[in-house]
């Protein structure tokens, strides 16, 4: 819906979301107030407590305060072409300006050619998230071309704003539009920090409790307390782990191992048995931290209590 000023023109009451979807979502839902706007120098702990931990969106005003953040000043078409113009990128192509993006038609071309076409006003091409190289644990890198070399040095890998949160992936989106265009409705499991460098971007957001009221690709099986949406035939736990994988581990008497890139697999339990003499202090603290994080994702502990405990354990793990 269109907005008046910073406030939404219309939002149903929070109770309506629970009634419509029947979800178990326990995070933030819009109740008619304006989306919060906060300065870029907000303390990371406050940012987490008010927004990330509550699943609440906000608008960050001003530029990132990290000294590594040079993209805003440097990223002209000329600079981008010189830094990564020869990189091969996957570009989405639509038939005409009236068609929608997000239909899956993608072609390979040099990044410099994309910049030339988009810079000349060609609105049929759109650069979005690029495929990452993978190993047995999943994606093995944080970013793909054109975010390589000089361009990667222009953005902070871990913005101060996010505190101790660890990035899962860095992407760049670029396009040209003669009139407003849409990238389509979708949802992500990970939190997103979207930094606008040029132009304008309008976001329409729905809380996870609205999942069953939307036309999703697949039938919603349940909505978890933390907002993760599980689909029939692809059921997952609240931490994103496949229930099929969990059942396989139980059947084989194995353990589920999460690789460095977040990909899960079932391994022989004997390979991961507790060593004689027990865990060292640092390993034990990290194990407890992981278990606390899992409990939080599965909704087994009150968020405030869990966050305080997790902070203490992580501090102990770092000291060890």
């Amino acid at each position: 819906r269109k907005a008046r000023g910073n406030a939404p023109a219309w939002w149903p009451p929070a109770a309506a979301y629970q009634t419509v979807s029947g979800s178990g979502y326990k995070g933030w839902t819009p109740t008619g107030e304006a989306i919060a706007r906060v300065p870029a120098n907000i303390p990371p702990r406050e940012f987490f407590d008010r927004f990330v931990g509550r699943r609440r969106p906000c608008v960050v005003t001003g530029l990132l305060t990290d000294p590594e953040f040079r993209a805003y000043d440097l990223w002209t078409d000329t600079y981008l072409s010189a830094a990564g113009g020869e990189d091969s990128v996957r570009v989405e192509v639509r038939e005409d300006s009236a068609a929608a993006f997000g239909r899956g038609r993608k072609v390979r071309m040099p990044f410099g050619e994309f910049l030339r076409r988009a810079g000349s006003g060609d609105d049929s091409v759109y650069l979005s998230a690029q495929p990452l190289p993978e190993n047995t644990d999943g994606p093995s890198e944080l970013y793909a071309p054109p975010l390589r070399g000089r361009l990667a040095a222009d953005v902070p890998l871990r913005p101060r704003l996010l505190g101790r949160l660890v990035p899962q992936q860095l992407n760049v989106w670029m396009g040209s539009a003669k009139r407003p265009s849409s990238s389509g409705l979708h949802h992500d499991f990970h939190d997103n920090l979207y930094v606008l460098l040029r132009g304008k971007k309008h976001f329409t957001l729905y809380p996870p409790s609205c999942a069953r009221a939307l036309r999703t690709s697949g039938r919603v099986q349940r909505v978890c307390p933390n907002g993760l949406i599980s689909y029939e035939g692809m059921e997952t736990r609240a931490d994103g782990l496949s229930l099929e994988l969990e059942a396989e581990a139980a059947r084989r008497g194995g353990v589920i191992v999460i690789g460095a890139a977040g990909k899960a697999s079932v391994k022989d339990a004997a390979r991961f048995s507790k060593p004689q003499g027990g865990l060292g202090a640092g390993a034990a603290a990290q194990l407890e931290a992981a278990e606390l994080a899992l409990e939080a994702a599965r909704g087994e502990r009150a968020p405030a209590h869990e966050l305080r405990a997790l902070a203490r354990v992580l501090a102990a793990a770092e000291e060890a």
Side-chain angles (χ1 to χ4, degrees):
R1 301 265 181 159
K2 292 183 179 180
R4 290 192 291 266
N6 294 329
W10 174 86
W11 277 114
Y17 294 121
Q18 193 74 13
T19 302
V20 168
S21 69
S23 82
Y25 175 61
K26 298 185 182 302
W28 182 85
T29 54
T31 55
E33 73 272 30
I35 297 296
R37 305 175 76 87
V38 298
N41 63 352
I42 180 175
R45 169 56 63 181
E46 180 183 351
F47 184 72
F48 185 90
D49 289 343
R50 289 179 57 189
F51 302 106
V52 180
R54 295 183 58 201
R55 328 305 307 147
R56 180 181 182 183
C58 70
V59 174
V60 179
T61 60
L63 301 177
L64 295 178
T65 60
D66 305 79
E68 307 96 324
F69 181 57
R70 298 181 290 270
Y72 187 81
D73 295 317
L74 295 178
W75 281 16
T76 63
D77 286 0
T78 300
Y79 178 90
L80 291 170
S81 184
E86 296 182 359
D87 288 338
S88 175
V89 293
R90 191 175 66 168
V91 175
E92 186 170 352
V93 179
R94 62 180 179 178
E95 297 299 329
D96 54 61
S97 59
F101 286 115
R103 302 306 172 101
R105 182 168 177 251
K106 298 181 179 180
V107 299
R108 283 275 177 186
M109 67 177 65
F111 181 48
E113 180 183 342
F114 165 79
L115 288 170
R116 180 186 58 77
R117 290 179 59 173
S120 65
D122 184 349
D123 62 359
S124 68
V125 290
Y126 182 61
L127 183 73
S128 58
Q130 299 293 298
L132 292 171
E134 295 192 5
N135 56 29
T136 55
D137 289 331
S140 58
E141 297 184 18
L142 281 176
Y143 42 74
L147 282 178
R148 288 275 177 84
R150 287 168 58 184
L151 296 186
D154 297 335
V155 294
L157 289 182
R158 295 181 65 179
R160 292 174 177 173
L161 179 69
L162 302 182
R164 292 181 176 177
L165 296 178
V166 178
Q168 188 267 344
Q169 187 174 347
L170 276 69
N171 296 305
V172 59
W173 291 268
M174 296 183 186
S176 175
K178 299 182 179 68
R179 57 183 180 181
S181 61
S182 171
S183 56
L185 185 63
H186 65 280
H187 65 81
D188 302 311
F189 174 57
H190 296 90
D191 297 295
N192 284 255
L193 175 63
Y194 194 99
V195 181
L196 186 66
L197 298 179
R198 299 190 218 170
K200 298 179 180 180
K201 181 78 173 181
H202 176 87
F203 289 89
T204 300
L205 303 175
Y206 296 89
S209 49
C210 276
R212 287 195 175 93
L214 301 173
R215 290 184 291 180
T216 56
S217 297
R219 184 182 293 274
V220 175
Q221 182 248 346
R222 68 185 180 116
V223 180
C224 302
N226 66 354
L228 183 137
I229 302 171
S230 176
Y231 289 92
E232 292 183 6
M234 299 180 292
E235 290 84 356
T236 63
R237 300 189 321 198
D239 60 356
L241 186 70
S242 164
L243 291 183
E244 182 179 0
L245 193 65
E246 186 178 51
E248 180 187 350
R251 184 171 61 253
R252 290 171 48 184
V255 295
I256 297 173
V257 176
I258 309 297
K263 188 174 181 179
S265 59
V266 177
K267 304 292 185 182
D268 182 1
R271 292 177 54 196
F272 298 90
S273 60
K274 184 176 179 180
Q276 192 169 15
L279 294 170
Q286 292 178 35
L287 176 60
E288 184 180 353
E291 291 173 344
L292 284 169
L294 178 59
E295 288 174 356
R298 299 179 73 174
E300 296 174 0
R301 186 173 298 200
H305 176 253
E306 185 279 329
L307 288 174
R308 288 193 294 271
L310 182 56
R312 290 195 298 271
V313 172
L314 287 175
E318 290 181 351
E319 291 174 359

